[in-house]
Amino acid sequence: MNTILTCQKKYKEMPSLTNVKKALKLLFKYIYPGYFEPIPQDCKTYLSHLKDEAYTLLHKEILKVCTDSNLTTLFFEQLDEIQKKIEWDVLATFQGDPAASNIHEIILTYPGIYAITIYRIAHELYLLKLPLIPRMLSELAHSKTGIDIHPGAQIGNYFFIDHGTGIVIGETAVIGNNVRIYQGVTLGALSLRKGQSLKGEKRHPTIQDNVTIYAGASILGGKTIIEKNVTIGSNVFITESVKEDTLVVLKKPDLILKEKKQ
């Protein structure tokens, strides 16, 4: 039998994906009160109940992979700060997208905000060195939206994802404040042939403040730095650093227009 698939487990029990999903649903209700179910008159008690219920569910799953019983408490102490960052992301999305009618539409329908919300939650758990569960969360977002953000990525405030399908942001990517990314963008590694020997190394690019990256662009490599106020055009392939206040675009392609044969 393949030894990788034998019953030799590092953990006494695997986390329940069902319970992780339930906890995430409760966290969404807490972060966005009134959007996913009506709020009763006693709002303070309602929010406290949501928080306690999410704590109980998540704590049970955390204890399956971590012996530190304080870790759940440490995460929930950061929940209001997470909510504040998400509010800034929602604001950045509304200000950046002329197609957005209002904030409510963004919260209820935008895949970018859904993925960013899960990233903010998963990232905080990742910082606490919790195994498995952060990746379970990020893959829930990935499977639903097509947006793949590793929970280890460092993303600043006022982050805006437009459309979003096909975006990939790697584990060691660093993104500054007020960054805008469109569909199909990859912030990836140059090469992964060395596999596990690359663990702990900076493999993905750094994107500084006020950068816009248009659809289909690929920016690769841990030493690649896109400095402040840069605009990256569509379908550009970058493996070298770009100085601030630069516009990077491809040459205009030669289009061939022919009359259709009848």
Side-chain angles (χ1 to χ4, degrees):
M1 179 184 286
N2 186 335
T3 55
I4 294 175
L5 301 179
T6 62
C7 293
Q8 297 173 7
K9 292 182 179 178
K10 182 177 179 181
Y11 312 110
K12 58 184 179 182
E13 189 179 354
M14 292 296 108
S16 163
L17 182 58
T18 299
N19 284 344
V20 170
K21 285 181 179 178
K22 287 179 180 178
L24 181 64
K25 190 174 181 180
L26 290 165
L27 290 171
F28 262 76
K29 290 178 181 180
Y30 180 87
I31 291 167
Y32 300 109
Y35 280 92
F36 300 102
E37 69 179 13
I39 300 176
Q41 284 188 337
D42 190 349
C43 181
K44 188 175 180 180
T45 301
Y46 165 76
L47 291 175
S48 178
H49 176 72
L50 283 178
K51 199 172 183 180
D52 290 345
E53 197 174 345
Y55 184 102
T56 301
L57 270 173
L58 199 55
H59 187 59
K60 179 181 177 182
E61 302 313 311
I62 286 174
L63 288 180
K64 292 177 181 179
V65 295
C66 178
T67 57
D68 186 352
S69 60
N70 293 319
L71 194 146
T72 316
T73 300
L74 292 173
F75 168 74
F76 275 86
E77 285 174 352
Q78 296 301 313
L79 191 55
D80 289 343
E81 185 64 26
I82 293 170
Q83 185 183 40
K84 185 189 298 182
K85 290 182 178 181
I86 291 167
E87 286 178 358
W88 293 335
D89 297 326
V90 171
L91 179 61
T93 301
F94 180 69
Q95 292 176 339
D97 187 3
S101 301
N102 50 58
I103 294 293
H104 313 304
E105 180 182 3
I106 290 168
I107 292 171
L108 291 172
T109 69
Y110 274 42
I113 282 299
Y114 181 82
I116 291 169
T117 300
I118 292 181
Y119 157 77
R120 297 287 185 200
I121 294 167
H123 180 66
E124 199 61 43
L125 292 168
Y126 179 93
L127 291 178
L128 294 170
K129 302 189 185 304
L130 178 70
L132 290 181
I133 293 174
R135 287 304 302 271
M136 292 169 72
L137 289 168
S138 65
E139 286 308 311
L140 288 173
H142 185 195
S143 63
K144 185 170 182 176
T145 66
I147 299 168
D148 184 2
I149 308 176
H150 193 288
Q154 300 176 46
I155 300 178
N157 299 323
Y158 299 98
F159 185 46
F160 173 32
I161 288 177
D162 201 358
H163 303 295
T165 305
I167 285 176
V168 177
I169 301 175
E171 179 185 21
T172 62
V174 177
I175 298 174
N177 298 321
N178 196 34
V179 170
R180 178 182 300 192
I181 295 181
Y182 288 77
Q183 69 271 20
V185 166
T186 297
L187 305 182
L190 268 173
S191 174
L192 296 175
R193 291 191 179 192
K194 294 181 180 179
Q196 285 291 318
S197 65
L198 294 172
K199 186 178 287 293
E201 292 188 17
K202 178 94 166 61
R203 309 183 302 279
H204 306 95
T206 295
I207 313 297
Q208 294 185 352
D209 297 347
N210 307 314
V211 170
T212 298
I213 308 172
Y214 282 103
S218 294
I219 305 172
L220 309 180
K223 295 180 180 179
T224 303
I225 300 174
I226 308 301
E227 295 187 3
K228 295 179 181 179
N229 308 313
V230 167
T231 298
I232 305 293
S234 295
N235 302 314
V236 169
F237 187 86
I238 295 175
T239 59
E240 298 177 359
S241 295
V242 177
K243 294 294 184 184
E244 63 181 78
D245 298 306
T246 300
L247 170 65
V248 183
V249 294
L250 293 173
K251 273 187 177 181
K252 187 175 181 181
D254 293 327
L255 300 178
I256 300 173
L257 306 177
K258 291 184 177 181
E259 185 178 350
K260 282 186 177 180
K261 293 181 179 180
Q262 299 298 322

